[in-house]
Amino acid sequence: SLSRHETGGLSELVRRMAEVHSGTAGLAAPPLRPYPAAGRLAWSALAAPREPTVMLVIPFFTIGGAERIFLSLLRKWRRLGTRMIVVTTLRLPPEVPNRIDQVRSFTPHAYQLAYLFEGCEDLQSGFFYFLLKRYQPDFILTAGSGFFYRLLPAVRRQFPEVPVIDQLFNDEVHFHSNRIFRQYIDCTIVPGRRLARRLIEEHGESAARVAVIPHGVKLPRRIPGLPALP
């Protein structure tokens, strides 16, 4: 009726409501409902049904070499029936396309902390801890998130049972952060043996805590000028 008839404005609506409900003024107030004497909510009340779960923590999701690697992992995990929790921690600049839609084609659990709680790092970290408690991931795979590096001491203290795996793509950028927080990282993945040797020989990392996984490149079956691949 508001869109089909003239109402006379807000003051007329107030007058008509007061007229219609004039008889309620003399009613007795309902009795107060006592607050239930319940203790603090237990973390166990937040737990989701248990199933194989991995958590991926990255700064953002656009389209580049790293993101293509992560998409291949998401594709494989989905085939295995694994629940995937993807968390991004930075807001992209306007000129860089946000392709979180590609992540959501594999899993509904994609959380962009910088957009959900912009400028509120305490809320971002609180929500991150909630995700850990609710979904209980079998491990966390991270790559280049300064936000997550800073959370590592608290994550290790509160969730000591969750392994943390850090993916390094080179010996610059996040290499320094990896070394600062090395005591909270269970395994560092590197794409080549040169980087593995630097971690082990120059920085004293245990060889058991370094994994070399080369980045594969899918080649076409036929390349002009070369024999066909088997």
Side-chain angles (χ1 to χ4, degrees):
S1 62
L2 289 178
S3 61
R4 295 191 180 97
H5 302 288
E6 177 60 44
T7 61
L10 179 60
S11 60
E12 175 61 16
L13 285 174
V14 171
R15 186 196 67 76
R16 290 167 58 189
M17 290 175 67
E19 179 182 336
V20 169
H21 299 288
S22 59
T24 62
L27 296 178
L32 295 176
R33 177 175 296 177
Y35 188 80
R40 188 175 179 181
L41 182 66
W43 277 113
S44 58
L46 304 176
R50 190 72 186 97
E51 61 183 81
T53 301
V54 298
M55 176 179 279
L56 174 63
V57 184
I58 51 180
F60 45 75
F61 200 91
T62 184
I63 288 300
E67 286 78 14
R68 295 184 188 282
I69 292 173
F70 297 142
L71 283 178
S72 68
L73 288 173
L74 294 175
R75 188 175 296 109
K76 177 66 173 181
W77 287 331
R78 184 175 64 178
R79 285 201 298 266
L80 294 174
T82 303
R83 179 166 54 201
M84 299 163 282
I85 313 298
V86 180
V87 177
T88 68
T89 58
L90 283 182
R91 176 180 283 273
L92 283 164
E95 63 273 13
V96 179
N98 185 352
R99 299 312 307 272
I100 197 69
D101 57 308
Q102 296 207 10
V103 172
R104 290 186 175 130
S105 68
F106 291 97
T107 175
H109 302 289
Y111 305 98
Q112 302 180 94
L113 298 186
Y115 296 84
L116 291 172
F117 309 102
E118 185 172 8
C120 300
E121 190 161 313
D122 56 336
L123 293 180
Q124 295 174 17
S125 57
F127 185 72
F128 183 80
Y129 296 144
F130 162 76
L131 292 175
L132 282 176
K133 269 294 184 181
R134 176 162 174 75
Y135 295 107
Q136 305 171 49
D138 295 287
F139 64 87
I140 300 172
L141 173 62
T142 184
S145 170
F147 171 85
F148 183 62
Y149 278 126
R150 295 192 297 275
L151 288 190
L152 275 174
V155 169
R156 176 59 72 211
R157 184 170 59 253
Q158 297 295 328
F159 308 94
E161 73 284 359
V162 181
V164 175
I165 303 170
D166 190 17
Q167 168 75 63
L168 286 182
F169 294 103
N170 50 56
D171 55 3
E172 301 176 6
V173 193
H174 304 292
F175 186 91
H176 185 61
S177 296
N178 174 277
R179 294 296 82 204
I180 290 176
F181 295 100
R182 61 186 177 274
Q183 69 188 93
Y184 309 109
I185 298 170
D186 296 279
C187 180
T188 299
I189 298 176
V190 295
R193 298 194 179 280
R194 182 191 66 81
L195 188 49
R197 284 196 300 271
R198 185 175 180 196
L199 286 170
I200 296 167
E201 297 172 8
E202 295 182 26
H203 294 270
E205 185 61 87
S206 167
R209 293 161 60 93
V210 179
V212 179
I213 304 179
H215 298 160
V217 178
K218 186 176 182 179
L219 296 175
R221 294 188 61 82
R222 179 174 293 278
I223 301 175
L226 295 177
L229 296 174

